[in-house]
């Protein structure tokens, strides 16, 4: 199974990715994670990537597509989280993979901001938590690897608002693209993570 998961910040995308990849044994492919890894392991390519990431913009399509293609071609079953983000990436992906479904999580900006303020992520293994909805067993500590939980800098309300606006502009053409291909399913992401996950499961099964 080859899935794409789209959604604005605060829609529960990371949580749904984590559950879906575990239950359906899908390889989780996220450009953000891959880029951070490349920065650590490949200094030359990493320097180029870092320049874009630190500037707050996207890594150019040709570089992103190349890196994702290498990963995608290794996997039979995967979930793409954070890719494609541009219509150019969607066209590129279309050439190197046959996607089964594109799931789009929908949520209002107000609920997204409320949710994000409680969000924490493991500084070591990147497992997502939420102080209210998915609390760790021990405050501030990752259940999986005992890493320290932290709040991402860009989870501050002003930053979330900006990311939400950027997302809305970017997602429109992607929505059209996957709708035309009859691969798109819209999911109301405002109920509890458990309910949203159950709905997704029915669609994916
Ligand atoms: P994330 O971990 O999804 O927040 O991504 C971290 C950073 O990686 C972003 O701010 C971008 O600079 C870069 N990035 C992530 N996904 C993409 C993508 N699909 N295309 C280009 N750059 C990306």
């Amino acid at each position: 199974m080859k899935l794409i998961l789209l959604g604005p910040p605060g829609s529960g995308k990371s949580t749904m990715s984590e559950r879906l990849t575990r239950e359906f044994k899908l390889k989780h492919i996220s450009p953000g994670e891959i880029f951070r890894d490349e920065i650590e392991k490949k200094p030359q390519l990493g320097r180029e990537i870092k320049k874009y990431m630190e500037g707050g913009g996207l890594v150019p399509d040709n570089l992103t597509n190349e890196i994702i293609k290498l990963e995608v071609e290794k996997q039979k079953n995967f979930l793409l989280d954070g890719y494609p983000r541009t219509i150019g990436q969607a066209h590129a992906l279309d050439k190197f993979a046959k996607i089964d479904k594109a799931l789009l999580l929908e949520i209002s900006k107000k609920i997204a901001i409320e949710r994000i303020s409680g969000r924490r992520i493991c500084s070591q293994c990147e497992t997502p938590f939420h102080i209210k909805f998915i609390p760790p067993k021990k405050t501030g500590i990752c259940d999986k690897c005992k890493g320290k939980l932290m709040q991402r800098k860009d989870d501050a309300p002003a930053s979330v608002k900006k990311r939400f606006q950027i997302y809305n502009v970017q997602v429109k053409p992607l929505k059209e693209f996957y709708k035309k291909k009859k691969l798109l399913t819209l999911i109301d992401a405002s109920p509890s993570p458990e309910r949203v996950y159950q709905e997704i499961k029915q669609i994916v099964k």
Side-chain angles (χ1 to χ4, degrees), residues 9-43:
S11 61
K13 199 157 62 78
S14 307
T15 307
M16 295 307 138
S17 289
E18 216 254 328
R19 292 193 62 172
L20 278 167
T21 50
R22 196 169 359 120
E23 183 164 353
F24 293 92
K25 304 212 170 6
L26 309 171
K27 169 78 178 170
H28 181 231
I29 302 179
S30 142
E33 280 172 23
I34 296 175
F35 290 154
R36 282 186 283 276
D37 205 46
E38 299 270 344
I39 290 171
E40 246 177 56
K41 292 185 186 148
K42 296 182 193 160

Side-chain angles (χ1 to χ4, degrees), residues 31-32 35-36 53 57-59 64 82-83 85 89 152:
F35 290 154
R36 282 186 283 276
M53 284 175 84
L58 291 180
V59 176
T64 305
Y83 182 92
R85 270 199 190 169
Q89 293 177 6
R152 277 170 45 166

Side-chain angles (χ1 to χ4, degrees), residues 116-153:
I116 284 179
S117 59
R119 197 152 95 169
R120 300 291 180 272
I121 188 164
C122 176
S123 54
Q124 284 181 22
C125 71
E126 300 201 1
T127 299
F129 292 88
H130 192 285
I131 53 175
K132 189 169 157 201
F133 303 119
I134 320 156
K137 290 194 188 92
K138 200 170 162 210
T139 309
I141 304 291
C142 175
D143 291 351
K144 272 194 184 165
C145 75
K146 307 277 177 263
K148 214 172 147 193
L149 301 187
M150 57 169 200
Q151 186 169 35
R152 277 170 45 166
K153 263 192 236 129

